[in-house]
Amino acid sequence: MRLNVINPNTTRSMTDTIAAAARRIAAADTHIMATQPAHGPVSIESHFDEAISAVGVLEEVAAGDREGADAHVIACFGDPGLLAAREVTRAPVIGIAEAAFHMASLISTRFSVVTTLGRTGIIAEHLLDQYGFRHHCRRVRAAEIPVLDLERDSDAALARIIEECRRARDEDGVGAIVLGCGGMADLTDEIANAVGLPVVEGVTAAVKLAEALIGLGLGTSKHGDLAFPRPKTFVGRFEHLSGSTE
């Protein structure tokens, strides 16, 4: 099977980190196609960044379909463009936040999320409500590090994340930790060993869920609100989207 793993930002080193984590966890017969948009923000840390990146995500989903992808993973914890991406393809589309919440709820009745910045923690709280996991999550915590510090100052960033995870363990009464950023995809083992709790990371969780959906022969429903968008005319920079999306 072929999984199209999309880093919605434009930082190549983060795409490489995400791809390596996906390939380590994927089944032997799963081929990981790691992509990123040609245009957009270098990191995603706000609603504005998510809105800009969503168009690039949709373009990468379309490109992945043309290359024979069996499923798509959106590897940003805000799950930017997730429902729109599901509209434009029959293949499963998995957001890493939704995947991580599902996995954590299967192994613990309570979890906490540890993310990068406080403002993105608020976005994670919105997703917990939207996906129905608010009652499972005790707290969303922020290490207060910019996303790109995971690349530029990785040792210091890891230390801050581990410190916040230990606080979650000691103060929140949880059984598991969810890492709230795709850029943390390569940190799971180190954090789990340091904290002594199961640590769920969204990229790897999404890869395994995508494999499961493909194995079950399940794709995105084309009935109701996830049906293909009605064809219409777009103008200006989006003129290339005019016509049918099927």
Side-chain angles (χ1 to χ4, degrees):
M1 60 183 71
R2 295 168 64 84
L3 300 188
N4 185 30
V5 179
I6 304 165
N7 172 20
N9 73 42
T10 57
T11 298
R12 171 54 61 182
S13 57
M14 192 166 291
T15 303
D16 293 341
T17 295
I18 288 167
R23 288 176 178 132
R24 279 195 300 272
I25 202 68
D29 60 348
T30 297
H31 174 67
I32 300 296
M33 305 154 56
T35 64
Q36 66 184 56
H39 308 280
V42 296
S43 63
I44 299 173
E45 298 172 316
S46 65
H47 297 292
F48 178 79
D49 295 341
E50 287 189 7
I52 299 300
S53 68
V55 175
V57 167
L58 297 176
E59 291 174 340
E60 293 305 318
V61 168
D65 278 353
R66 291 193 296 270
E67 294 177 22
D70 296 297
H72 308 273
V73 170
I74 299 177
C76 169
F77 206 77
D79 292 353
L82 176 59
L83 292 180
R86 286 175 176 163
E87 283 186 330
V88 300
T89 182
R90 293 184 184 276
V93 184
I94 311 294
I96 65 170
E98 189 173 16
F101 298 155
H102 275 290
M103 290 297 199
S105 72
L106 295 175
I107 61 170
S108 179
T109 58
R110 295 174 171 180
F111 61 82
S112 282
V113 177
V114 175
T115 187
T116 49
L117 297 172
R119 66 182 298 163
T120 59
I122 297 170
I123 294 173
E125 290 173 353
H126 292 165
L127 292 180
L128 286 161
D129 288 331
Q130 178 181 331
Y131 297 150
F133 286 98
R134 171 65 78 172
H135 62 292
H136 288 283
C137 183
R138 295 290 287 174
R139 187 169 176 180
V140 178
R141 292 173 167 271
E144 296 300 350
I145 53 174
V147 168
L148 292 185
D149 277 9
L150 294 166
E151 303 283 316
R152 293 186 298 230
D153 193 3
S154 58
D155 290 343
L158 176 61
R160 292 285 296 276
I161 295 165
I162 289 174
E163 178 183 5
E164 202 61 42
C165 288
R166 285 174 172 156
R167 287 178 179 158
R169 176 197 64 194
D170 297 341
E171 299 173 11
D172 298 350
V174 297
I177 302 290
V178 168
L179 299 181
C181 179
M184 299 179 185
D186 60 338
L187 304 180
T188 310
D189 291 344
E190 288 178 88
I191 295 171
N193 289 336
V195 176
L197 290 180
V199 174
V200 181
E201 183 282 313
V203 173
T204 48
V207 166
K208 301 314 287 186
L209 283 176
E211 289 178 338
L213 287 172
I214 296 166
L216 290 167
L218 296 174
T220 300
S221 173
K222 292 295 111 182
H223 293 272
D225 65 316
L226 295 183
F228 288 106
R230 296 179 64 186
K232 63 184 62 176
T233 299
F234 288 75
V235 298
R237 71 177 68 179
F238 299 118
E239 184 177 0
H240 66 286
L241 299 176
S242 296
S244 174
T245 55
E246 183 171 356

